[in-house]
Amino acid sequence: MKLSNLLNAFLVSLLLIVPNFDAVAGSDHDHQQDDSEHSETATGPNGGRLFKTGDFSLELQLVEQGKAPEYRVFVKDREKTVAPVDVDVTVTLSRLGGKKDTISFKPDDAFLKGTSPINEPHSFSVEISATYQGEVYEWHFDNFEGRTQIAAPIAEQLGINTNIVQAKTLTKTLPVYGKLALPAGAKRQISARFDGEITKLTALLGMQVKKGQHIMTIQSNDSLQSYRVISPINGIVTKQNVGLGEQTAGRSLIEITNMTELVAELQVFPNDAAKIRQGAAVSVNVSGLNTPINTTIKDSLFSVAGNQAKTYRAFIPNPNNQLQVGQFVSADITLESFTVPMAIEKKALHAFRDFNVVFAKFGDQFEVRMLTLGRSSGEWVEVLSGIDIGSEYATDNSYILKADIEKSGASHDH
């Protein structure tokens, strides 16, 4: 195992096992607290968070009942319910990145109802301001979830890399399989114009020849005159049917094959054939090559194969004869290309509660961002909402962040 892998494994074990890793990594885990960090949060009769100053009390309730989360406020003075129209309340939510949500309230039956939804994640510092009978009451508490803090040197050692939410051109592809074949006209059968004896033979089996090259000399049986035979194409001698001193006897003498271009014959089944268009981009993968070969669909054969698949053909350059006829290939045919305003790497995605999330980075703090996803292509997926364009998010080894958050016993405030 490489030293870097050993270091990574050791640090991950610290993160998952050692109770005081917070001190090592500078981790600020999920917590919910009121003004007194060590006191228990008081709960009101409606299950919300209760605040009191003298005889005046306010209960802040987060409601999630199959709809967008909202705040509700219940107010009492001297243990008597205060009419919602008699009090003004404002709640300010301060999030990572300097964003603030200001929630105003309107009377709704026996409580005050927030006029704006409480967007995910429910991770913010909360400031409450209530005005009643000329008096202003204020409270503050922190409500963090899905958040952790890891010092930059530790994050670097753990291999936690990041990327930026950005526009991306994605492609929808169809995976197919096939094999390499020769294009039409790639072979030439060389025979004698006048039968006779082969007196010189310079093109032997396996040799490469060039167009116009002298490949044999034949002495005519009729005229006893010798004439030269030249190669009509560049290629390789793939068959040698005669030897020096033999008679031509009206047969094919040698076969020359031009392999500088091959055809990938790709099989597409009936349900997908209608999606393929001539000229579509295709990426062909050949065993032994480190990178795919990018080409296009040239045409298709008029008949189907025995398995009812239609054969589409893509021409592939082979200048060094590195590829061989009959080699099996896999390919991805482009069906559609589209540009999306926001995309992220799939490897950055994690499950958190009932959401697909990434961990957005703010300095040395990371926090979940709940995403609505769209179309996907390869290693990328479209983001419809949940994070801002230009945001930095964790990619490689981001599972460490999730493990750290889960280790802290994160809770969700309702």
Side-chain angles (χ1 to χ4, degrees):
M1 182 179 290
K2 294 182 179 179
L3 179 60
S4 60
N5 293 337
L6 286 169
L7 176 61
N8 188 67
F10 171 70
L11 290 170
V12 171
S13 68
L14 282 178
L15 179 62
L16 298 176
I17 300 172
V18 179
N20 63 347
F21 182 80
D22 297 0
V24 178
S27 185
D28 180 14
H29 293 300
D30 302 350
H31 59 280
Q32 297 184 359
Q33 62 181 32
D34 55 18
D35 291 328
S36 176
E37 185 176 352
H38 303 290
S39 63
E40 292 188 5
T41 301
T43 302
N46 299 288
R49 194 183 290 260
L50 185 64
F51 303 90
K52 294 189 69 174
T53 299
D55 294 327
F56 185 82
S57 66
L58 180 147
E59 181 182 354
L60 181 67
Q61 179 192 33
L62 179 62
V63 179
E64 297 179 277
Q65 296 178 341
K67 57 182 180 180
E70 65 181 26
Y71 272 142
R72 293 178 181 178
V73 170
F74 302 83
V75 179
K76 288 185 177 181
D77 183 25
R78 296 180 178 87
E79 300 302 325
K80 293 184 179 180
T81 300
V82 173
V85 294
D86 293 337
V87 61
D88 292 323
V89 176
T90 301
V91 172
T92 302
L93 310 178
S94 298
R95 300 177 181 270
L96 281 179
K99 184 177 180 180
K100 290 191 175 185
D101 301 337
T102 300
I103 313 297
S104 57
F105 292 80
K106 64 180 180 180
D108 189 322
D109 198 14
F111 55 84
L112 288 159
K113 179 180 178 180
T115 57
S116 304
I118 311 304
N119 297 321
E120 296 281 3
H122 295 168
S123 184
F124 30 62
S125 293
V126 183
E127 294 179 0
I128 305 170
S129 178
T131 303
Y132 175 65
Q133 293 183 350
E135 293 289 334
V136 178
Y137 301 87
E138 294 181 337
W139 299 276
H140 170 273
F141 69 96
D142 289 333
N143 187 93
F144 299 151
E145 71 163 348
R147 181 186 296 191
T148 189
Q149 182 174 345
I150 298 181
I154 300 298
E156 183 178 356
Q157 291 175 23
L158 291 172
I160 300 174
N161 297 321
T162 64
N163 204 341
I164 302 297
V165 179
Q166 57 191 293
K168 189 80 176 176
T169 298
L170 306 181
T171 56
K172 185 177 181 181
T173 61
L174 176 70
V176 295
Y177 299 90
K179 64 180 181 179
L180 298 181
L182 287 171
K187 289 186 177 183
R188 293 289 192 275
Q189 304 296 328
I190 309 301
S191 57
R193 185 173 44 175
F194 307 106
D195 277 337
E197 179 184 344
I198 297 182
T199 59
K200 186 175 184 180
L201 182 61
T202 58
L204 304 177
L205 183 66
M207 290 181 57
Q208 283 197 327
V209 297
K210 295 184 179 298
K211 182 178 181 179
Q213 179 180 330
H214 175 211
I215 56 176
M216 69 178 69
T217 299
I218 301 174
Q219 184 183 53
S220 172
N221 290 336
D222 293 333
S223 66
L224 300 182
Q225 297 292 315
S226 295
Y227 62 91
R228 298 179 0 140
V229 178
I230 62 174
S231 175
I233 59 171
N234 296 327
I236 298 174
V237 178
T238 48
K239 284 185 181 179
Q240 180 186 344
N241 299 322
V242 294
L244 187 65
E246 289 190 44
Q247 288 288 320
T248 58
R251 54 182 166 155
S252 173
L253 305 177
I254 63 173
E255 177 188 79
I256 299 175
T257 303
N258 184 352
M259 295 181 58
T260 56
E261 185 178 57
L262 298 180
V263 179
E265 295 186 337
L266 307 172
Q267 293 196 331
V268 179
F269 289 99
N271 289 343
D272 296 316
K275 305 173 186 176
I276 309 299
R277 57 177 178 81
Q278 186 172 323
V282 56
S283 178
V284 180
N285 299 288
V286 184
S287 178
L289 296 186
N290 295 327
T291 57
I293 300 170
N294 296 317
T295 181
T296 59
I297 296 296
K298 180 70 173 179
D299 53 31
S300 61
L301 300 183
F302 64 90
S303 60
V304 297
N307 59 1
Q308 296 300 298
K310 187 175 180 65
T311 300
Y312 285 84
R313 305 198 311 159
F315 287 76
I316 294 177
N318 187 33
N320 300 319
N321 296 325
Q322 186 176 10
L323 307 178
Q324 303 299 318
V325 174
Q327 275 187 283
F328 290 107
V329 299
S330 62
D332 293 296
I333 302 175
T334 298
L335 303 180
E336 178 187 8
S337 291
F338 49 93
T339 299
V340 299
M342 295 193 298
I344 60 166
E345 296 184 70
K346 285 182 179 177
K347 64 183 177 182
L349 286 171
H350 296 275
F352 182 83
R353 301 204 333 255
D354 298 327
F355 299 95
N356 290 309
V357 304
V358 292
F359 296 97
K361 184 177 185 295
F362 302 88
D364 60 0
Q365 295 189 85
F366 296 85
E367 187 175 81
V368 294
R369 288 294 179 266
M370 286 73 170
L371 306 180
T372 302
L373 303 177
R375 297 165 290 182
S376 65
S377 171
E379 300 303 314
W380 294 85
V381 60
E382 178 185 14
V383 177
L384 301 177
S385 64
I387 197 169
D388 297 326
I389 190 167
S391 297
E392 188 176 5
Y393 65 97
T395 54
D396 298 299
N397 294 327
S398 53
Y399 69 90
I400 296 174
L401 304 174
K402 181 182 179 183
D404 193 28
I405 288 170
E406 290 178 342
K407 180 173 71 74
S408 71
S411 60
H412 180 58
D413 188 23
H414 289 273

